[in-house]
Amino acid sequence: MTRMIRIFDTTLRDGEQSPGASMNVEEKLMIAKQLARLGVDIIEAGFAYSSPGDFEAVRRIALEVEGPVVCSLARARPEDITKASEALKGAPRVRIHTFLSTSDIHLKHQFRMTREEAKKRAVEMVQLARTYVDDVEFSPMDASRSDPAYLCEVIEAVIAAGAGTINIPDTVGYAVPQEFGGLIKRIKDSVPNSGQAVISVHCHNDLGLAVANSLAAVVAGAGQVECTINGIGERAGNTSLEEIVMGLRTRRDWYGADTKVVAEEISKTSRLVSKITGMVIQPNKAIVGANAFAHTSGIHQDGLLKDKTTYEIMRPESVGLEQVKLVMGKLSGRHAFRQRLEDLGYKLTEEEVNHAFERFKRLADQKKEIYEEDLEVIVSEEVAKMSERVVLKSFQVESGTNKTPTATVELEIDGKLVSHSGTGDGPVDAVYRTIAAMTQTKSKLLMFGVNAITGGTDAQGEVSVRVEEDGRTVSGHGADTDIITAAARAYLNALNKLAYFAAKQAEGIQKVSLI
């Protein structure tokens, strides 16, 4: 009999801890709505106490996203748990996820607590959380490096206090599959009341074993896996959602387990997260990489032509990788545009449709054929657009083999039009140097990448950048049929994010690294 494994998605919380992956509220809300279409069971929307932005993201996702349970992380502190409850208030299906370390190395050097003090605090905070919500999850941080006997003692106590889910984190990616699976089995066998809670796992990928450890835990009896889209997250990342889902589904004969995830939404979700975070997916990434279903070997190609099952264990269509479809052109009207967006799963307000339709009509004048991927870019860029301090109005570039590249850029900065000219090593560099001089930014460009959204010489080019200033790293992205325009939009998107997050940080509290 197939067990159903809960999928707890933490892209918006742990995934955002990837350098440069910070998202604004609108971007988080867009991803959360897509996660609901994907069919995840729980969305960890953020850490409500950490900043006003995270609080607002948790609040809006809890109220506006239908389907999954919406969760807020909270340290084992009364103020954190109270703040989480405030952010989740009024929503139909909510969870508070609180945590405290159980490893001696953390208790001694980070928390300065004894084992008894930590156990007492954990119990008290679970009890407090239960006064606000019925669904409470507790994580003994650094569980894989904790004394197993003490770990089991804490787990028994917090289940008795009201925790319905116990998450076992491999916080630093230290465990190996046989060991981690053995730990889950020991917890299931040794904790008398373990049957009263769902055992979950949250694995990091420092040794490249996050997915393997999570699958070993499922074999040992875990009922929930915590993961992120594309495996993004702290340091080397988290367990990859798409690999867990398709691993269980493809080898259901072995694991005897599956999930409720709508696998056909995987590729769309992966592209959206990649675009919003600016984290490009490596071509050989399992399930969602560009080469995941590509076959170059003559022997493989011969086998595929005779029978797909010779070299494909999954169909590309099973994860939503259908052949690119032509959808619309410049003669398409607003009603058809709205209907096509709804067919793709996007439910927009009238104002959002108007903004997106204007961008669509401009693109339709530049391209003969517009594809689903083009529409996804339009929606993600126009709907998730934050308040912009700096807006690109126009630019001109002169460049050639025997000419120094020169750019003249016109920006609207805080409502005032400003124009300036500058030079650079190439046309994009000239534009960037000119924008940097106009905005007086002290930021440093760490990464610049270009991808074609679809095929053809008139395809939109998508530019992703990563920019750092004062220890904060953000991503920016822009798309256009003109690659220099796309590059300018990406750079300004990143600079506007830096301004946005600097303002939010001034209002609230610095984020901290968590489980």
Side-chain angles (χ1 to χ4, degrees), residues 212-509:
N213 284 332
S214 298
L215 290 172
V218 169
V219 172
Q224 174 178 292
V225 177
E226 309 203 352
C227 40
T228 61
I229 301 299
N230 301 334
I232 66 172
E234 187 89 11
R235 303 184 311 279
N238 287 267
T239 300
S240 164
L241 180 147
E242 56 275 7
E243 293 176 30
I244 284 291
V245 168
M246 295 312 295
L248 291 175
R249 191 155 297 173
T250 304
R251 294 306 312 274
R252 196 181 312 176
D253 61 319
W254 174 260
Y255 293 108
D258 200 352
T259 73
K260 295 179 181 177
V261 167
V262 181
E264 291 76 12
E265 293 287 332
I266 283 176
S267 290
K268 183 194 295 185
T269 313
S270 172
R271 290 195 301 267
L272 179 64
V273 170
S274 176
K275 173 168 181 50
I276 285 178
T277 62
M279 300 188 73
V280 178
I281 304 164
Q282 76 238 37
N284 63 326
K285 167 76 169 66
I287 315 300
V288 293
N291 296 345
F293 295 94
H295 300 269
T296 57
S297 164
I299 294 174
H300 287 210
Q301 290 173 348
D302 177 67
L304 284 166
L305 289 171
K306 293 172 179 174
D307 191 312
K308 291 282 188 183
T309 61
T310 54
Y311 288 100
E312 279 189 354
I313 60 171
M314 297 170 284
R315 293 180 300 106
E317 295 83 4
S318 68
V319 295
L321 280 175
E322 298 180 23
Q323 189 174 9
V324 174
K325 296 177 181 177
L326 173 66
V327 288
M328 305 195 75
K330 66 179 183 179
L331 298 179
S332 301
R334 190 183 305 268
H335 177 74
F337 177 73
R338 177 195 286 274
Q339 184 60 52
R340 190 63 191 129
L341 291 183
E342 290 181 358
D343 291 343
L344 290 172
Y346 298 109
K347 295 181 181 179
L348 308 184
T349 66
E350 191 64 33
E351 183 180 2
E352 289 170 340
V353 169
N354 290 339
H355 282 299
F357 186 69
E358 288 177 16
R359 173 75 178 273
F360 162 73
K361 295 299 278 187
R362 290 197 300 271
L363 180 61
D365 284 334
Q366 297 171 296
K367 290 190 63 174
K368 293 180 181 178
E369 301 173 340
I370 296 179
Y371 299 91
E372 289 182 3
E373 286 84 349
D374 293 313
L375 295 183
E376 289 174 0
V377 168
I378 289 172
V379 171
S380 63
E381 285 202 349
E382 293 301 316
V383 175
K385 187 179 289 183
M386 68 178 72
S387 176
E388 295 180 310
R389 180 173 172 261
V390 185
V391 179
L392 177 68
K393 303 304 289 185
S394 67
F395 74 87
Q396 290 182 334
V397 175
E398 295 182 5
S399 185
T401 54
N402 298 312
K403 184 177 181 62
T404 301
T406 304
T408 300
V409 181
E410 184 180 46
L411 301 177
E412 183 181 299
I413 303 176
D414 295 329
K416 182 179 179 181
L417 285 177
V418 181
S419 182
H420 190 70
S421 296
T423 62
D425 295 333
V428 172
D429 187 55
V431 170
Y432 276 29
R433 287 178 183 271
T434 304
I435 291 174
M438 296 171 75
T439 58
Q440 298 182 339
T441 179
K442 295 184 176 68
S443 61
K444 180 180 179 182
L445 182 66
L446 302 179
M447 184 276 289
F448 178 93
V450 182
N451 289 293
I453 295 170
T454 57
T457 56
D458 65 348
Q460 285 196 90
E462 185 174 37
V463 174
S464 297
V465 299
R466 191 164 293 135
V467 173
E468 184 271 332
E469 184 176 53
D470 296 332
R472 179 184 291 280
T473 304
V474 301
S475 65
H477 42 82
D480 197 88
T481 53
D482 183 305
I483 201 64
I484 302 176
T485 301
R489 285 177 174 166
Y491 188 43
L492 287 172
N493 180 242
L495 295 183
N496 280 312
K497 281 187 178 181
L498 284 173
Y500 171 87
F501 288 116
K504 289 296 181 183
Q505 183 174 321
E507 296 174 16
I509 298 168

Side-chain angles (χ1 to χ4, degrees), residues 188-205:
K188 296 279 289 184
D189 293 344
S190 302
V191 176
N193 55 359
S194 64
Q196 298 174 27
V198 173
I199 302 300
S200 175
V201 289
H202 178 119
C203 297
H204 281 264
N205 207 38

